[in-house]
Amino acid sequence: MQALLTKLDLAKFPFTTEASEYIKSFNIEPVELARPELLPILERAIDRIKQGVFSGKISAELTQEDVDILAYPTALMLISVIGDDRARRRFALAEAKRAYQLLRDELPEKLLQVSRGSFGWDARIDDRDVGDSHFEFALHFEDYVRNSARIRDLRWKLVNRVLSEGYALLPREDFARLLEEEVQARVLDRTSITGLAVPPELEKYVDPLRSIIRARSQYLAADEMPRAVMAAAMPPCMRNLLSLLQTSKHISHMGRFAMAAFLLNIGTSEEELLKMFKSFTDFEERIARYQVEHIAGKRGSRRKYTAPNCNTMRTHGLCVNPDELCATITHPLTYYRRKARTLFRGRRQRNFSSRRRE
Ligand code: SF4
């Protein structure tokens, strides 16, 4: 295949095989990044991480091509070294979204080169209309299924796609969206090695970044909390479990079950729950999804589970810091509903009083 990627493209798509080859040609050792002439690379990498982790969005704007290209592997190295799994996942998602934003505006030939050359997809350009729809690509169904599996929208189910001799026909936008999934998986894969250390010369740059990420860890976890849930109405036992989750501490199987059943029963969606559970160090999406769907009554016995009652919670050492309201109830869900009602009435009363004063 004719090489279509220019240096500008490598800056846009630094995850590609071509970019890796180009990066290797510089032969820069990590310790050298502290040299004054290479500091812009380190600074751009740190900026990339901050944008990805804290705002969920990495700017697609390019500064200097070589700096942008080299900042990418540097950022991967730094986020691995920092070792915060939630930050790593947010960064991978932001890198993938940046790639999607740029890919969807590219020519089909370029997308094809990225998909085949860097990810080994069995794909081809297939410009045709079927009914009212216009397609530009044909992608082998195995590559399609592998990359669409994590996208929950029903539109992405294979049965809802136009197929032609084992290939899914796709518009450019959808082809780019599937590449986004590949990019995210690649970033996660390249940053999954733990226990790495940077040379002492780089510590003074990495330490402040690690500290900011640690300091904002609570905020990042709150960002992933379900919106519909009234956090202030949580019983002490669940508040304790959520705080263990937010700080990536160990939670027993019973604790995980209690928290999942409780949250599903107060309106948290399965997707929101899975997002929260990603901070478990032993998180495995396929298993976690099965368990969550089982508790939600969508698998096995098809029975939706409720959270354990207070006696069972006590037996398993999960009843922590019970308060006055706890003395009047026997189930964490009763606690939540009563407290939520009280808080809701209080809010309504305050709104009513302030309207009367106006
Ligand atoms: S009494 Fe029930 S709601 Fe209160 S802390 Fe114990 S388990 Fe939780």
Side-chain angles (χ1 to χ4, degrees), residues 13 15 95-108 110-112 114-115 119 121 123 136-137 139 144 147 151 155-156 161 170-184:
F13 313 122
F15 51 84
E95 278 290 350
K97 291 205 172 301
R98 173 190 177 275
Y100 168 69
Q101 196 188 339
L102 291 163
L103 282 164
R104 65 184 178 183
D105 294 330
E106 289 292 348
L107 292 171
K110 213 163 270 182
L111 266 77
L112 192 67
V114 171
S115 70
F119 299 116
W121 286 9
E136 286 181 270
F137 295 93
L139 175 63
Y144 178 86
N147 286 293
I151 310 175
R155 182 169 86 79
W156 288 92
R161 288 288 168 183
L170 298 167
R172 194 185 319 184
E173 179 103 4
D174 288 356
F175 197 77
R177 177 66 184 84
L178 292 174
L179 279 169
E180 176 190 324
E181 291 291 312
E182 282 282 20
V183 175
Q184 187 181 1

Side-chain angles (χ1 to χ4, degrees), residues 235-237 310 313-314 318-323 326 329-332 335:
C237 50
C310 293
M313 293 287 281
R314 262 181 230 112
L318 296 168
C319 180
V320 178
N321 302 326
D323 61 17
C326 288
I329 49 94
T330 57
H331 201 288
Y335 182 111

Side-chain angles (χ1 to χ4, degrees), residues 90-276:
R90 285 176 72 98
F91 172 72
L93 183 62
E95 278 290 350
K97 291 205 172 301
R98 173 190 177 275
Y100 168 69
Q101 196 188 339
L102 291 163
L103 282 164
R104 65 184 178 183
D105 294 330
E106 289 292 348
L107 292 171
E109 292 75 13
K110 213 163 270 182
L111 266 77
L112 192 67
Q113 166 126 355
V114 171
S115 70
R116 290 166 66 167
S118 296
F119 299 116
W121 286 9
D122 179 356
R124 61 171 189 269
I125 291 176
D126 194 333
D127 213 349
R128 63 168 121 164
D129 292 319
V130 177
D132 291 338
S133 307
H134 178 67
F135 300 104
E136 286 181 270
F137 295 93
L139 175 63
H140 194 272
F141 81 93
E142 284 182 7
D143 289 321
Y144 178 86
V145 169
R146 184 165 46 82
N147 286 293
S148 63
R150 290 177 298 269
I151 310 175
R152 305 310 297 168
D153 194 307
L154 283 177
R155 182 169 86 79
W156 288 92
K157 294 256 177 245
L158 188 62
V159 290
N160 295 328
R161 288 288 168 183
V162 178
L163 291 172
S164 171
E165 297 170 349
Y167 287 78
L169 302 183
L170 298 167
R172 194 185 319 184
E173 179 103 4
D174 288 356
F175 197 77
R177 177 66 184 84
L178 292 174
L179 279 169
E180 176 190 324
E181 291 291 312
E182 282 282 20
V183 175
Q184 187 181 1
R186 177 161 290 187
V187 174
L188 284 173
D189 180 55
R190 300 273 155 94
T191 55
S192 61
I193 304 162
T194 52
L196 289 177
V198 284
E201 291 82 349
L202 297 188
E203 277 297 344
K204 68 174 175 189
Y205 302 100
V206 177
D207 274 350
L209 184 60
R210 187 185 281 122
S211 302
I212 307 173
I213 287 177
R214 223 175 257 161
R216 297 208 196 167
S217 164
Q218 201 104 354
Y219 154 78
L220 295 176
D223 206 30
E224 289 163 14
M225 279 279 285
R227 303 261 181 267
V229 167
M230 265 180 109
M234 292 279 178
C237 50
M238 294 300 159
R239 252 182 274 153
N240 175 57
L241 287 170
L242 284 166
S243 127
L244 293 175
L245 176 72
Q246 283 163 10
T247 48
S248 299
K249 302 249 171 67
H250 174 73
I251 300 178
S252 66
H253 284 299
M254 186 58 174
R256 291 181 193 203
F257 167 75
M259 184 166 46
F262 177 88
L263 290 170
L264 285 169
N265 274 278
I266 63 169
T268 309
S269 72
E270 287 147 48
E271 287 310 313
E272 284 170 327
L273 198 55
L274 282 168
K275 210 164 137 196
M276 292 168 70

